[in-house]
Amino acid sequence: MTLRAAGGRLAGLAGTLLGVAVVVFVLLRLLPGDAIDAALGTQAGLLTPAQHASLERYYGIDQSIPHQFVTWIGQLLHGNLGVSVNSGTNVTTLLGSAIPVTVELAVLATLIGAPLGVVLGVLAAGRPGGARDLGVQSAGLLGLALPEFILASVVVAVLGAVFRYFPSAGTFVPLTHSVGGNLSQMIYPALVLAVGLAATVMRTTRSAFLDVARSDFVRTARGKGLFPRRIRWRHVLRNSSVPIVTMVGIQFGYLLGGTVVIEQVFALPGLGRLLLNAILQRDYAVVQSAVLLIAVAFVVVNLAVDLIYRALDPRTAES
């Protein structure tokens, strides 16, 4: 990648983040109600004009939307994410405690779902149109069609009925405190997330594998008498890696911002649950910072994937 291309890519990323910041800032303020209504409910109608104005100043919504946006961006550039008006805690502290939970959940789901999807995709592509292929594809379609919240609810119900395990009954155990205790809480939501990820990776792997399997070098390898298993796993799969890595990267980026339902069902104090509660409470500082952080994470993951598949296939570095 040339310096000019790198500069263009960075400029595009900065523009994307600015667009995300504008959209989330405006949409949040277009929602019915405001922070005062979320905090006081029906009692907000009993406030006097002076009390309402005082609360508007307290919540930082007494200025025009453009003025609020410029103020927020200025504070953001100085590393000040603001303070949660509901908990009184610094937003940086809230995000710092929630990010490790979501990242760990995304990593576990990827470590489970990506290898499983690759193996199933290769097995399905080994005999296209056969019983194994149809079975794997049917399972993949079921994994894609089954909503996460239904699967998560079923898992929680089974854990409670059979093993007397209730995710919301205990306190979350960080990985730094107890590896075993942490994994006992994280493995089930990770398995739920891994189902959809494995199905997506399987479909991508199967398609890429079949495309490469028709190449001339594969027919040459077969003509030389190489073992079919070696051809399948060393030659075909290796040359199918670019679309697979791309899909895994996209899914990982999605998991960093798409675990809201799973974190809520399993009572995990992650970024998704923090964001959901902040939206319900109209906690603008938390919502804006959390969404922007998710956008940054997604952009960084996509950039990392871009660099990885350029290393896997140097021909793409010329573009």
Side-chain angles (χ1 to χ4, degrees):
M1 183 184 296
T2 63
L3 290 177
R4 182 176 181 181
R9 175 64 63 86
L10 293 176
L13 297 181
T16 300
L17 295 178
L18 179 60
V20 170
V22 172
V23 170
V24 67
F25 191 92
V26 174
L27 290 181
L28 187 60
R29 283 154 179 79
L30 291 178
L31 292 175
D34 53 24
I36 299 175
D37 297 325
L40 300 181
T42 57
Q43 295 182 354
L46 302 178
L47 296 174
T48 65
Q51 291 173 329
H52 197 277
S54 177
L55 285 176
E56 284 184 338
R57 287 192 299 272
Y58 173 75
Y59 286 112
I61 55 176
D62 56 325
Q63 302 292 334
S64 64
I65 291 181
H67 186 276
Q68 293 179 43
F69 179 75
V70 172
T71 301
W72 174 54
I73 292 296
Q75 293 176 343
L76 192 65
L77 293 177
H78 286 86
N80 180 15
L81 300 182
V83 176
S84 169
V85 294
N86 292 291
S87 65
T89 307
N90 194 290
V91 175
T92 303
T93 302
L94 293 175
L95 295 179
S97 62
I99 291 172
V101 179
T102 299
V103 171
E104 181 188 354
L105 183 59
V107 170
L108 282 176
T110 304
L111 291 177
I112 297 171
L116 179 61
V118 170
V119 172
L120 291 176
V122 173
L123 292 177
R127 293 183 179 179
R132 185 171 62 189
D133 183 25
L134 294 177
V136 171
Q137 289 200 72
S138 299
L141 288 175
L142 179 62
L144 290 173
L146 188 63
E148 289 180 350
F149 72 91
I150 292 180
L151 182 58
S153 300
V154 171
V155 170
V156 170
V158 171
L159 290 175
V162 179
F163 301 102
R164 312 303 299 172
Y165 174 74
F166 302 96
S168 60
T171 303
F172 178 75
V173 180
L175 185 63
T176 54
H177 291 182
S178 172
V179 175
N182 175 267
L183 291 180
S184 67
Q185 294 178 315
M186 298 292 285
I187 190 64
Y188 301 111
L191 286 172
V192 173
L193 289 173
V195 171
L197 189 148
T200 303
V201 174
M202 181 275 295
R203 290 169 62 88
T204 302
T205 301
R206 180 184 180 277
S207 177
F209 191 96
L210 290 176
D211 288 340
V212 176
R214 303 186 185 98
S215 303
D216 292 337
F217 79 91
V218 176
R219 287 192 288 268
T220 302
R222 289 170 180 163
K224 290 182 177 181
L226 294 180
F227 289 109
R229 182 175 298 179
R230 182 177 181 181
I231 295 174
R232 183 182 303 124
W233 294 101
R234 284 194 63 179
H235 298 280
V236 181
L237 181 60
R238 181 177 180 180
N239 286 275
S240 308
S241 59
V242 170
I244 297 173
V245 169
T246 302
M247 181 54 66
V248 171
I250 292 174
Q251 290 299 307
F252 181 75
Y254 162 75
L255 288 177
L256 292 176
T259 59
V260 178
V261 174
I262 300 301
E263 290 179 359
Q264 187 69 17
V265 172
F266 286 92
L268 297 176
L271 189 59
R273 193 179 185 196
L274 175 67
L275 177 59
L276 177 62
N277 292 333
I279 292 175
L280 296 177
Q281 297 168 353
R282 301 297 189 273
D283 200 338
Y284 295 151
V286 176
V287 175
Q288 292 162 182
S289 300
V291 172
L292 192 59
L293 179 62
I294 291 171
V296 170
F298 197 84
V299 165
V300 170
V301 169
N302 281 330
L303 182 59
V305 169
D306 189 12
L307 296 176
I308 290 173
Y309 73 65
R310 285 173 184 271
L312 292 173
D313 187 358
R315 294 173 298 179
T316 60
E318 300 175 0
S319 59

